[in-house]
Amino acid sequence: MSDIHYRFIESKHELNEYFDRLIECSKLALKKTGEHGITCEILMGQMIRYVETGYGCLLLGFDIKGELVGFLFGVLIKSSTGSWVEVTALWSKPGIASAVKFEAFNLLCQWAKARNATKILACVSRSPDVFYEFFYKALGFKRVGYLLEAKL
């Protein structure tokens, strides 16, 4: 067990408490990964839209000083063939994600199962082979597709 304290954000009031810091963290995340299909504005808009609906999972991680050191945001998708969670954004200070990946992923899985989701999808655009081996594989993820991009 790590020294990280987790908190699910479930209201716009709670989101407002951390909004400015989440913008900063989102920009840091997107600076590393690139804006492949999402911008900071779109991500923050999704958080606002979904936080109170039961379809948005916003999990924050805090160190023992109470500083935000990581977040995970996912959206529950329901269709006629089933339900799943798409992880839209994941950010942490260096070294945090690898140290708490099992704890945080377990919390995400509990949240998803409570909403009858049967899988979790994540798109990796930054060094996908490296991050798959280093981070996602141990969590049970399998490669199932490609991120495709056409330059204009």
Side-chain angles (χ1 to χ4, degrees):
M1 193 79 150
S2 71
D3 290 330
I4 302 299
H5 166 72
Y6 301 96
R7 179 176 177 187
F8 283 104
I9 301 301
E10 298 175 331
S11 73
K12 288 179 183 172
H13 177 75
E14 290 176 296
L15 178 60
N16 191 49
E17 289 180 52
Y18 304 102
F19 198 76
D20 290 340
R21 183 67 179 127
L22 283 166
I23 290 172
E24 293 171 16
C25 298
S26 296
K27 287 180 179 178
L28 290 171
L30 292 171
K31 184 177 179 180
K32 286 184 177 182
T33 64
E35 295 178 337
H36 298 281
I38 195 160
T39 64
C40 183
E41 292 79 10
I42 292 170
L43 177 58
M44 299 310 296
Q46 286 181 346
M47 288 181 191
I48 292 167
R49 183 171 195 283
Y50 291 112
V51 71
E52 292 181 323
T53 65
Y55 285 81
C57 177
L58 178 54
L59 178 64
L60 306 184
F62 300 91
D63 66 12
I64 57 174
K65 298 175 190 172
E67 181 183 351
L68 180 64
V69 294
F71 79 88
L72 179 151
F73 180 68
V75 176
L76 175 68
I77 308 295
K78 291 189 173 195
S79 77
S80 60
T81 60
S83 300
W84 64 91
V85 173
E86 291 189 12
V87 176
T88 306
L90 174 67
W91 171 84
S92 76
K93 285 191 162 191
I96 299 292
S98 59
V100 303
K101 67 183 173 186
F102 294 105
E103 290 175 49
F105 187 66
N106 191 31
L107 290 169
L108 173 62
C109 289
Q110 289 174 25
W111 183 91
K113 287 177 184 176
R115 287 152 181 81
N116 297 315
T118 58
K119 61 186 172 186
I120 296 174
L121 302 178
C123 180
V124 182
S125 58
R126 178 180 167 220
S127 305
D129 292 330
V130 172
F131 275 92
Y132 173 73
E133 290 295 328
F134 161 74
F135 189 82
Y136 291 97
K137 187 176 182 180
L139 296 172
F141 282 87
K142 305 288 182 221
R143 292 181 177 122
V144 295
Y146 297 95
L147 173 65
L148 305 174
E149 178 179 79
K151 297 281 186 182
L152 301 177

